[in-house]
């Protein structure tokens, strides 16, 4: 294992826990990253404005798209148009429930909230949890304009109760549920809500709208407005997701695990951003770097990435083209194409750790363990983008810095998930490797990762940013 101090590993684990707790939605995750970058003296750029002449060697920059995706980059002191970009890419979203445009439901004395399933979650784990809402709210101001505000209600205000075993004796043979009917959270009782809100529905019906025609329960809108210190009438629209109010913690009798929601993939998002910022602490290395160091965190990976702010969009290509074009002497017509050939991307997304109770689910020689470092992911059918060239590069960096790596291959008789790696690699012709920290309970409302693996990944990314350009000069593959 890398000769990293216990203090470093502990600090990184604690900082990941803090990051997850502050990021109940992708909007919050991006906002936390934005504040980190500002604190590290990064300059914010706007996509709708010209970047011409704004990007210079030794400069640090970032921009966001939709408030749920973020790209940060630092321009090496010796960078010239056509030079490479050292990239770590991850995603900000996780499987969850999102409120429907008309969320108001009333059934048998209960106020309920209509939700959509987002991604492929282990939805049975959401039963009997203390839930709340977080996300983005569009607020109308006095001048007639609109502004984005982030909201996160800390208190548990919703719950999806399971059915008592006495009413479902067959549950012992398999827990079955209908995603449209049985995953509808309870918000309040009609009678209690009426005490504070005369517009609450008093009918035992299953209709989606009350007589007042509002799409959401007034008691919910009032709670959101109170959190934002605005009037309900100022709320134009929102994008809210449900989240578990139980905080992420470091656990296990030896305090070696992290129990948390959204580790897929805030784990990688944290490690990438921390690795980038830490790599700039070596000022001499940064001043001598011929590459750009970049982190790209995308939204919507869990639903295929095909959105204006997902990996299957123009976001990363647009950024790379604009960076090349905006350089002070960027007059080469093929600077972008040259840069792609000189670039390298680490696609970082969590991988499946060996489960002691289901060990047969893993291929015998590829069983990543918690606390033994990140895992390189390989798939012959291109579900992962790793090649012998890209794995050689990362293994070299890891070995020289004492960072352990594992390898993961799915069984031939098991389906294989994918990542943003193959997508971006194919779109751009970019050398790519897929890696990730091992995880138990992936897509559960509570996941588990190794505490030390966080610090190991941060160090791996830090050394990747500082060492890749020099190493790449020694690689001869066309």
């Amino acid at each position: 294992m890398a000769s990293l101090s216990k203090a470093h590993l502990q600090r990184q684990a604690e900082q990941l826990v803090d990051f997850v707790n502050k990021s109940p939605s992708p909007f919050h995750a991006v906002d936390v990253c934005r504040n980190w970058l500002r604190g590290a003296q990064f300059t914010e750029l706007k996509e709708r404005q010209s970047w011409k002449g704004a990007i210079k060697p030794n400069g640090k920059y970032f921009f966001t798209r939709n408030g749920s995706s973020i790209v940060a980059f630092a321009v090496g002191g010796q960078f010239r148009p056509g030079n490479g970009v050292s990239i770590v890419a991850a995603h900000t979203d996780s499987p969850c429930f999102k409120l429907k445009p008309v969320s108001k439901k009333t059934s048998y004395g209960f106020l309920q909230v209509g939700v959509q399933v987002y991604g492929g979650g282990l939805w049975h784990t959401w039963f009997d949890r203390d839930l709340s809402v977080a996300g983005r709210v569009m607020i109308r101001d006095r001048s007639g304009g609109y502004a984005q505000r982030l909201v996160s209600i800390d208190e548990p205000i919703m719950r999806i109760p399971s059915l008592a075993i006495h009413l479902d004796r067959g549950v012992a043979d398999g827990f079955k549920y209908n995603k449209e009917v049985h995953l509808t959270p309870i918000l309040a009782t009609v009678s209690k809500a009426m005490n504070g809100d005369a517009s609450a529905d008093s009918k035992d019906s299953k209709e989606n709208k009350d007589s007042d025609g509002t799409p959401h329960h007034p008691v919910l809108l009032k709670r959101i407005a109170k959190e934002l210190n605005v009037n309900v009438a100022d709320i134009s629209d929102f994008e809210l997701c449900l989240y578990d109010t139980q905080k992420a913690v470091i656990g296990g009798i030896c305090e070696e695990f992290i129990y948390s929601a959204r580790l897929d993939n805030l784990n990688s998002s944290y490690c990438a951003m921390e690795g980038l910022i830490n790599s700039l602490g070596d000022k001499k290395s940064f001043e001598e770097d011929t590459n750009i160091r970049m982190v790209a965190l995308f939204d919507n990976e869990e639903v295929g990435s095909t959105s204006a702010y997902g990996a299957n969009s123009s976001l990363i290509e647009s950024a790379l083209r604009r960076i090349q074009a905006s350089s002070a002497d960027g007059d080469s017509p093929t600077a972008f194409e040259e840069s792609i050939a000189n670039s390298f991307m680490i696609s970082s997304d969590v991988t499946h750790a060996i489960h002691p109770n289901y060990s047969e689910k893993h291929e015998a020689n590829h069983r990543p363990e918690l606390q033994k470092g990140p895992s390189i992911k390989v798939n012959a059918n291109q579900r992962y983008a790793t090649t012998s060239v890209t794995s050689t590069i990362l293994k070299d960096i890891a070995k020289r810095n004492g960072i352990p790596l594992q390898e993961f291959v799915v069984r031939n008789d098991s389906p294989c998930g994918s990542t943003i790696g193959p997508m971006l690699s194919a779109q751009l012709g970019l050398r790519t490797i897929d890696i990730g920290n091992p995880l138990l309970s992936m897509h559960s409302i509570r996941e588990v990762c190794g505490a030390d693996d966080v610090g190991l990944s941060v160090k791996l990314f830090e050394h990747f940013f500082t060492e890749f350009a020099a190493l790449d000069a020694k690689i001869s593959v066309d």
Side-chain angles (χ1 to χ4, degrees):
M1 180 169 288
S3 56
L4 301 177
S5 69
K6 290 183 178 179
H8 164 81
L9 296 174
Q10 179 72 14
R11 183 174 67 255
Q12 294 299 340
E14 290 173 351
Q15 289 180 179
L16 171 60
V17 166
D18 184 61
F19 176 54
V20 173
N21 287 334
K22 290 178 178 176
S23 305
S25 78
F27 302 110
H28 288 82
V30 166
D31 192 56
V32 172
C33 290
R34 178 191 284 113
N35 291 331
W36 285 350
L37 293 166
R38 286 173 174 165
Q41 283 73 57
F42 278 67
T43 299
E44 184 168 7
L45 303 173
K46 301 293 185 181
E47 284 195 285
R48 64 179 62 190
Q49 299 173 352
S50 173
W51 294 0
K52 185 174 178 59
I55 298 174
K56 304 181 185 300
N58 294 309
K60 300 179 291 185
Y61 312 90
F62 76 94
F63 70 92
T64 64
R65 183 181 286 188
N66 187 54
S68 60
S69 295
I70 186 167
V71 175
F73 59 96
V75 184
Q78 301 304 311
F79 174 80
R80 299 293 180 270
N83 287 8
V85 184
S86 309
I87 307 170
V88 179
H91 66 90
T92 59
D93 61 318
S94 305
C96 65
F97 298 119
K98 296 193 175 187
L99 268 65
K100 292 179 177 178
V102 179
S103 72
K104 182 188 293 184
K105 289 178 175 289
T106 306
S107 181
Y108 300 104
F110 289 105
L111 301 186
Q112 293 185 276
V113 178
V115 294
Q116 301 179 80
V117 295
Y118 176 86
L122 290 176
W123 303 125
H124 67 274
T125 64
W126 286 71
F127 283 81
D128 302 323
R129 305 294 300 187
D130 298 337
L131 306 176
S132 194
V133 294
R136 169 170 67 184
V137 183
M138 295 302 297
I139 302 297
R140 184 186 300 105
D141 60 32
R142 294 180 179 178
S143 66
Y146 296 89
Q148 168 185 293
R149 295 278 302 277
L150 300 188
V151 66
S152 177
I153 298 175
D154 294 336
E155 296 80 19
I157 62 171
M158 298 183 194
R159 194 175 180 89
I160 305 172
S162 57
L163 183 63
I165 192 171
H166 314 82
L167 303 177
D168 184 14
R169 293 295 185 180
V171 71
D173 300 321
F175 181 39
K176 298 179 182 180
Y177 55 90
N178 180 287
K179 288 189 285 188
E180 176 62 25
V181 177
H182 300 139
L183 297 180
T184 306
I186 291 174
L187 180 68
T189 60
V190 171
S191 58
K192 187 69 172 180
M194 284 184 66
N195 290 332
D197 187 350
S199 64
D201 190 3
S202 61
K203 298 179 181 178
D204 285 343
S205 69
K206 294 187 178 181
E207 295 179 0
N208 290 342
K209 284 193 177 184
D210 296 335
S211 58
D212 62 8
T214 57
H216 308 286
H217 287 299
V219 67
L220 176 60
L221 292 175
K222 287 185 176 181
R223 184 65 182 83
I224 294 169
K226 179 182 178 181
E227 194 74 22
L228 296 174
N229 194 28
V230 299
N231 296 319
V232 170
D234 297 330
I235 298 175
S236 174
D237 204 350
F238 51 64
E239 295 166 76
L240 299 180
C241 63
L242 271 60
Y243 78 98
D244 187 359
T245 59
Q246 183 177 356
K247 299 293 187 180
V249 295
I250 296 175
I253 197 167
C254 298
E255 297 187 328
E256 59 182 322
F257 306 126
I258 296 175
Y259 305 145
S260 173
R262 302 180 298 283
L263 290 175
D264 179 5
N265 193 30
L266 292 184
N267 184 312
S268 297
S269 295
Y270 167 78
C271 293
M273 200 62 74
E274 179 77 356
L276 172 63
I277 293 173
N278 288 354
S279 76
L280 303 176
D282 185 344
K283 294 184 178 180
K284 185 173 185 295
S285 166
F286 183 43
E287 291 171 355
E288 295 177 352
D289 199 347
T290 59
N291 271 24
I292 290 173
R293 304 174 185 181
M294 176 180 284
V295 166
L297 307 182
F298 300 94
D299 196 1
N300 293 146
E301 188 275 344
E302 296 293 354
V303 291
S305 296
T306 302
S307 69
Y309 29 90
N312 193 26
S313 71
S314 64
L315 195 160
I316 193 71
E317 180 177 350
S318 173
L320 294 174
R321 286 187 181 278
R322 294 186 72 176
I323 290 168
Q324 293 292 335
S326 65
S327 299
D329 56 350
D331 55 359
S332 171
T334 60
F336 169 75
E337 288 78 8
E338 295 168 33
S339 176
I340 289 297
N342 288 313
S343 299
F344 187 101
M345 183 177 73
I346 296 176
S347 166
S348 182
D349 203 345
V350 290
T351 194
H352 298 289
I354 183 69
H355 194 307
N357 300 339
Y358 300 92
S359 60
E360 72 280 1
K361 297 295 184 179
H362 275 67
E363 201 278 333
N365 294 321
H366 301 89
R367 293 174 168 173
E369 299 179 35
L370 301 183
Q371 296 289 79
K372 292 193 175 181
S375 178
I376 295 174
K377 300 191 276 191
V378 179
N379 184 262
N381 295 303
Q382 297 301 301
R383 301 292 288 173
Y384 303 131
T386 304
T387 69
S388 59
V389 175
T390 59
S391 65
T392 294
I393 290 171
L394 198 66
K395 287 176 180 178
D396 184 279
I397 293 172
K399 183 177 181 180
R400 282 190 279 111
N401 293 284
I403 299 171
L405 291 176
Q406 305 182 77
E407 293 188 284
F408 174 74
V409 173
V410 74
R411 288 172 56 103
N412 288 327
D413 57 359
S414 176
C416 182
S418 191
T419 69
I420 60 176
M423 185 182 302
L424 291 171
S425 180
Q427 286 179 352
L428 298 171
L430 187 65
R431 290 175 294 173
T432 302
I433 185 171
D434 270 294
I435 73 167
N437 281 336
L439 195 71
L440 289 171
S441 307
M442 190 182 296
H443 287 198
S444 169
I445 199 170
R446 297 287 288 184
E447 299 167 322
V448 185
C449 73
D452 290 352
D453 292 335
V454 180
L456 293 173
S457 283
V458 169
K459 272 299 177 185
L460 178 63
F461 296 155
E462 181 180 335
H463 287 295
F464 164 69
F465 285 126
T466 58
E467 299 173 19
F468 168 71
L471 175 60
D472 193 39
K474 303 175 183 178
I475 303 296
S476 178
V477 178
D478 290 322

